[in-house]
Amino acid sequence: MSERELVLSVKNVTRRFPASGGRFLLANNNINLELYRGETLCIVGESGCGKSTLMRMLLSLDTPSEGEIICLGQNIAHLKGEALRQHRRHIQMVFQDPALAFNPKMKIKDILCEPLLNFGMIKKSEVDTRARQLLEMVELPGDFADRYPHNMSGGQRQRVGIARALAIEPDIVMCDEATSALDVSVQKTVIELLVKLQKEHNIAIGFICHDMALVSQMSHRAAVMYLGNIVEILPSDRIKDGALHPYTKALLGAIFDLNMDFSKKIDSIESEIPSPLDVPVGCPFQDRCDQCMEICKKENPQLIKMADGHEVACHLYTKAEKEDK
Ligand SMILES: Nc1ncnc2c1ncn2[C@@H]1O[C@H](COP(=O)(O)OP(=O)(O)OP(=O)(O)O)[C@@H](O)[C@H]1O
Ligand code: SF4
Ligand SMILES: [Mg+2]
């Protein structure tokens, strides 16, 4: 893993939102994460655990309260103005609902080529040709270029969303539930396309997803979030049998065969998820963990490396234990 090119590195990133009564909501707590060229990293966790907050900061749509985000050697956490505009060439986003993301009055060719024109990468006279090429790249007919977004299906619009994100040849593409608005069968074909294009273009993908079965199929690694913390990062081929954190195991035990739906209650965890306004001292999962120890109520465990590409934040796994192995 160390030989691969690191494109994004999140270092000790915390995001607090001001709340009523002078309190703060801890949406992301001391996040450390790396993304490599050519890899897909899925971010999974229950609703409200902080996935979109993290992604918004990676996309420079929000600013961390603390910490650094290093993208291709540059700290982008507080970029502004022209530096931010230039940086956006490197990192693009595929939206959850392209029907809302696109201007309904613009033709597909103009939607596709807008970023290319903005960055001076093509001339106006090249729009028609380039739009056709981009449509063909996402396996749509070239003559869709003259259509409007409402004349296409949801799956077709999402292909346009992918083509637009890839048009300026970014290093990184972020997808926040980019397929969850689509029918399951359409979802599959869009994911397959994304995986194919990723290989061809050697881009890094950050993918927020609610379907653990899909995560294990399409990603290289998964980061599991709980109450603003990353509690485990593991290679996808270990998801089914090699997960270590009690929270990851509870998620998998509850859902693996059922196509996870995070909006439903997780039966194997009895109590409710605490509020991010009231994060306990110590391990964030302590109130729901049946292996909770005294130390768990005092110290928030940090991620430690258990194997190549596998890190866990839990007092059940200590450095000493790792060294014994
Ligand atoms: N701008 C904001 N101001 C205040 N609180 C916010 C803001 N954005 C997010 N939050 C809070 O931060 C926490 C994390 O929200 P976030 O949207 O990151 O969760 P998520 O994991 O993406 O959830 P979902 O799966 O439902 O999309 C939530 O408690 C949310 O209410
Ligand atoms: S640190 Fe303690 S409470 Fe937290 S998951 Fe591990 S055993 Fe459970
Ligand atoms: Mg979200």
Side-chain angles (χ1 to χ4, degrees), residues 148-159:
Y148 288 94
H150 61 267
N151 299 130
M152 302 177 93
S153 72
Q156 289 166 342
R157 272 198 297 264
Q158 198 53 294
R159 283 169 186 263

Side-chain angles (χ1 to χ4, degrees), residues 180-314:
S180 51
L182 305 173
D183 288 349
V184 174
S185 60
V186 181
Q187 233 181 59
K188 189 167 174 286
T189 59
V190 172
I191 298 274
E192 281 167 1
L193 172 72
L194 205 54
V195 170
K196 175 176 160 266
L197 292 172
Q198 177 191 43
K199 286 191 185 131
E200 285 170 13
H201 297 256
N202 201 21
I203 41 177
I205 296 185
F207 196 92
I208 291 180
C209 181
H210 273 175
D211 180 342
M212 285 297 271
L214 188 65
V215 170
S216 65
Q217 281 161 24
M218 74 165 293
S219 68
H220 298 96
R221 286 188 302 145
V224 181
M225 282 189 83
Y226 184 79
L227 205 58
N229 295 260
I230 291 185
V231 297
E232 185 159 13
I233 301 172
L234 70 171
S236 295
D237 57 11
R238 283 190 170 215
I239 288 179
K240 207 167 179 178
D241 304 316
L244 294 173
H245 196 282
Y247 176 63
T248 317
K249 286 185 187 172
L251 289 182
L252 294 167
I255 51 75
F256 202 88
D257 296 329
L258 302 175
N259 275 350
M260 173 100 193
D261 180 351
F262 277 86
S263 61
K264 301 213 174 91
K265 190 171 174 301
I266 296 168
D267 291 335
S268 65
I269 309 176
E270 281 173 9
S271 52
E272 290 295 315
I273 189 167
S275 160
L277 271 170
D278 200 13
V279 178
V281 175
C283 172
F285 191 55
Q286 59 185 272
D287 293 342
R288 300 168 93 192
C289 180
D290 56 14
Q291 296 175 77
C292 181
M293 305 170 282
E294 272 311 304
I295 190 175
C296 309
K297 296 178 187 161
K298 294 180 192 140
E299 284 178 31
N300 190 356
Q302 301 303 301
L303 282 171
I304 59 165
K305 186 173 170 183
M306 302 301 293
D308 205 13
H310 194 169
E311 294 171 63
V312 67
C314 170

Side-chain angles (χ1 to χ4, degrees), residues 51-52 176-177 208:
K51 304 178 296 295
S52 297
D176 190 347
E177 303 194 35
I208 291 180

Side-chain angles (χ1 to χ4, degrees), residues 90-161:
H90 299 295
I91 181 161
Q92 288 287 299
M93 176 168 190
V94 179
F95 293 91
Q96 178 175 6
D97 188 349
L100 299 177
F102 297 158
N103 181 342
K105 291 182 184 151
M106 278 170 79
K107 284 188 174 176
I108 296 299
K109 63 183 176 189
D110 298 318
I111 290 171
L112 284 171
C113 292
E114 191 181 40
L116 287 161
L117 289 167
N118 284 345
F119 282 107
M121 294 168 79
I122 58 167
K123 298 189 203 99
K124 273 200 166 157
S125 58
E126 293 169 302
V127 163
D128 283 301
T129 315
R130 191 73 187 107
R132 278 186 162 268
Q133 288 167 348
L134 287 166
L135 285 166
E136 280 158 19
M137 176 182 81
V138 292
E139 295 160 9
L140 288 175
D143 54 15
F144 274 29
D146 285 307
R147 289 197 184 191
Y148 288 94
H150 61 267
N151 299 130
M152 302 177 93
S153 72
Q156 289 166 342
R157 272 198 297 264
Q158 198 53 294
R159 283 169 186 263
V160 173

